[in-house]
Amino acid sequence: MARRCSWFWVVLAAFGVVSCSRTDNASREGGAAASASAAPAPPVAPSVRANPPEVEVSHVELLDAYEASAPRADERFKGKHVLVRGKLGEVVKDGAKLVVTMPKEAKPDAPSVRCSARESEAAEIAALKPDDPVDVVGKLVKFDKHVEIEGCVVNTQVKACRVVAKALGRGTCEQDREELGARLVLGAEQAALVCGSPAGFEAWRAKTSSLPAQERAGRMISVDASSCHLTHESLSPRLAVEFSSALARVRWENDVPTLAP
């Protein structure tokens, strides 16, 4: 009887140790979970805007639209990422910011497009001279005599051209002096390249649809996904494949043309 009692107390004591151990573990785990839930959440990574510009327009057309009717122009442009092409007036400092201006006229204090550039654009801007053709992409925020655009990327067409040249493994790039786009120079040959908004791309496609199919096939390459098109005087089948593959790798990320894998 005494042996049975002693075994009973041993088992009971062991059970108590296990129960206490489990209780302590549960308390510790509960405390850890509570601490984890109380810890601040990691910062949210900035979102990447992976779309072409929403609108493309010349700086004169943009200023004309606002001078005609600011409310109507706001409906079309305000809050949107716009691609604006024009000629450089000057680069001014506004505090720590660099502002690229495109005036409507060569007069003091004329209405202008004023584009606050990103810090990463400083080197590109330093190479610009008054009257240079320039294009900018940024978010249009307001109109108060001047059209104000923020977060601007400069010379996006040359940047897109460099992306295509990198994908091709050859070629150099020049800003087109007459209209939107860049020139991709391949030795003695040149191709005209434009990477713009979806609406601009559709307008170009509508304009060229009247050309004979053979002429389009022999001179033009277009890629809807990147809103890019390229014109070359004579496309061999091999060159057509190379250009198509290169254009298909262009991506817009936060208003900067980049190269997709």
Side-chain angles (χ1 to χ4, degrees):
M1 184 71 178
R3 285 181 183 174
R4 286 180 185 173
C5 288
S6 60
W7 278 112
F8 172 80
W9 289 112
V10 169
V11 170
L12 188 62
F15 180 79
V17 169
V18 171
S19 297
C20 289
S21 175
R22 285 180 178 167
T23 302
D24 290 346
N25 286 341
S27 298
R28 280 195 295 272
E29 289 168 3
S35 299
S37 64
V44 178
S47 60
V48 174
R49 185 179 175 279
N51 297 305
E54 295 162 273
V55 185
E56 65 186 66
V57 64
S58 78
H59 78 295
V60 173
E61 291 168 337
L62 183 58
L63 288 164
D64 282 349
Y66 269 100
E67 288 172 1
S69 172
R72 244 182 290 172
D74 270 347
E75 288 178 14
R76 290 179 59 195
F77 303 113
K78 189 175 181 181
K80 294 183 179 178
H81 290 253
V82 296
L83 167 55
V84 184
R85 66 187 184 278
K87 287 195 174 182
L88 177 69
E90 58 181 343
V91 177
V92 297
K93 290 206 78 173
D94 182 5
K97 293 181 180 178
L98 282 176
V99 179
V100 173
T101 71
M102 288 182 275
K104 187 175 178 181
E105 302 171 280
K107 294 180 180 178
D109 204 30
S112 64
V113 174
R114 295 171 53 87
C115 199
S116 299
R118 302 177 188 181
E119 288 182 15
S120 57
E121 296 297 293
E124 193 92 36
I125 290 170
L128 297 174
K129 301 183 293 297
D131 273 344
D132 273 354
V134 67
D135 70 85
V136 298
V137 176
K139 185 177 180 180
L140 196 153
V141 291
K142 69 176 181 177
F143 170 74
D144 183 7
K145 183 178 180 181
H146 305 289
V147 172
E148 304 283 349
I149 303 175
E150 65 179 20
C152 284
V153 178
V154 177
N155 283 345
T156 61
Q157 300 305 294
V158 170
K159 287 179 171 67
C161 181
R162 290 172 188 155
V163 166
V164 172
K166 185 175 180 180
L168 289 170
R170 65 189 189 280
T172 57
C173 296
E174 301 171 357
Q175 187 84 8
D176 195 317
R177 299 199 65 85
E178 301 305 320
E179 48 190 59
L180 180 66
R183 308 295 299 182
L184 175 60
V185 182
L186 302 163
E189 297 182 289
Q190 292 190 13
L193 173 68
V194 176
C195 289
S197 68
F201 177 84
E202 288 302 325
W204 172 83
R205 187 153 61 180
K207 181 180 176 182
T208 57
S209 63
S210 60
L211 296 174
Q214 187 174 0
E215 186 175 343
R216 292 200 308 273
R219 298 180 63 234
M220 298 170 180
I221 302 291
S222 60
V223 179
D224 299 63
S226 58
S227 295
C228 294
H229 63 264
L230 180 147
T231 307
H232 189 269
E233 283 306 312
S234 179
L235 285 169
S236 66
R238 179 178 176 181
L239 195 55
V241 170
E242 286 187 32
F243 279 155
S244 297
S245 299
L247 289 185
R249 293 180 64 190
V250 178
R251 294 288 183 275
W252 288 87
E253 289 190 359
N254 290 340
D255 299 331
V256 181
T258 59
L259 188 64

